[in-house]
Amino acid sequence: MATPIRSAPDSPNSSSGRQGRSEARERLLSTASALFYREGIRAVGVERILAEAPATRATFYRHFPSKEDLVLAYLRGVDAHIRADAQAIIEAAPSPADALRTIGTAVADDLAKPEFRGCAFLNAANEYPDPNDPVRQVVLDHRAWYVTTLTKLFAQVFGDSPRRGKPEHAARHFVMMRDGAVTGAHLDGVESVGAAFHRGVEGLLTLLH
């Protein structure tokens, strides 16, 4: 739920998606997505992407007018992938509480994957601090969706309990724990951080209602 472990195309509603799909475009996007996630967006130049895709400069600019367009397509692809996974979890879960637990498990499972390099959106936010930058806006839009999705689930979990907490507070607490887990796992140990995250999620589900 935090990483582009599997390659995903950008949203068909995005500006770059409207340019049409081709094998060359998907190869460029897949190559760039892997490099951006593994090494950082600003560290990877267009020439590197062209060499590894491989593709010509003309082909690149036919599909992506600028590197920024490619970066936006990369992040929109990750966003689409995470939204689809979340929707599948919610639809398959026996209850909202189980959905939240499974979303939490997906986060913890990502920590243990060899290719894990943190959250693609937090990584991008660190590289694009300007709040008006289009890349930053995609990050903020993703996080707003994530909080809204969790808030709806917590609202169903808390229901009419007399000890009912505020769903939006629980959702933001969940996101705060998730952010800490994905940034600190490589420092404090995957197993320790994953276990602490699971305990935190269970606490939100059982102590606030």
Side-chain angles (χ1 to χ4, degrees):
M1 296 299 296
T3 70
I5 298 299
R6 298 197 308 270
S7 177
D10 58 311
S11 166
N13 295 323
S14 69
S15 60
S16 58
R18 288 194 294 267
Q19 298 297 322
R21 301 193 182 282
S22 72
E23 182 181 347
R25 181 185 186 281
E26 296 308 311
R27 186 171 67 251
L28 283 164
L29 179 55
S30 177
T31 300
S33 295
L35 290 170
F36 288 158
Y37 181 64
R38 186 171 67 242
E39 300 182 19
I41 295 171
R42 295 193 185 278
V44 176
V46 171
E47 292 298 331
R48 173 82 180 282
I49 296 167
L50 295 180
E52 296 204 15
T56 66
R57 183 173 286 273
T59 298
F60 177 90
Y61 287 112
R62 183 165 65 250
H63 294 293
F64 303 101
S66 68
K67 181 184 174 182
E68 180 181 272
D69 289 291
L70 179 59
V71 173
L72 293 174
Y74 154 61
L75 290 174
R76 286 168 179 150
V78 180
D79 174 67
H81 167 70
I82 293 175
R83 289 184 189 228
D85 276 2
Q87 187 60 36
I89 287 172
I90 292 168
E91 291 176 356
S95 70
D98 287 318
L100 286 162
R101 289 187 178 98
T102 304
I103 290 172
T105 296
V107 171
D109 287 348
D110 272 351
L111 305 180
K113 294 178 179 177
E115 64 269 38
F116 181 73
R117 296 293 184 276
C119 171
F121 295 97
L122 292 180
N123 295 345
N126 287 334
E127 296 195 67
Y128 291 84
D130 182 354
N132 297 315
D133 193 291
V135 173
R136 184 83 170 199
Q137 192 57 56
V138 171
V139 173
L140 295 177
D141 288 346
H142 172 79
R143 288 176 70 81
W145 161 81
Y146 197 65
V147 170
T148 298
T149 299
L150 295 173
T151 298
K152 290 178 180 177
L153 290 171
F154 276 112
Q156 295 175 68
V157 171
F158 294 168
D160 297 324
S161 169
R163 296 180 57 198
R164 187 179 191 273
K166 291 187 176 181
E168 62 271 24
H169 290 179
R172 293 196 177 279
H173 198 148
F174 185 110
V175 174
M176 181 182 68
M177 293 190 302
R178 168 217 172 262
D179 289 351
V182 300
T183 56
H186 72 292
L187 294 173
D188 301 321
V190 170
E191 291 187 8
S192 174
V193 170
F197 180 69
H198 278 301
R199 289 194 298 272
V201 172
E202 199 61 34
L204 288 175
L205 291 170
T206 59
L207 298 179
L208 296 181
H209 69 286

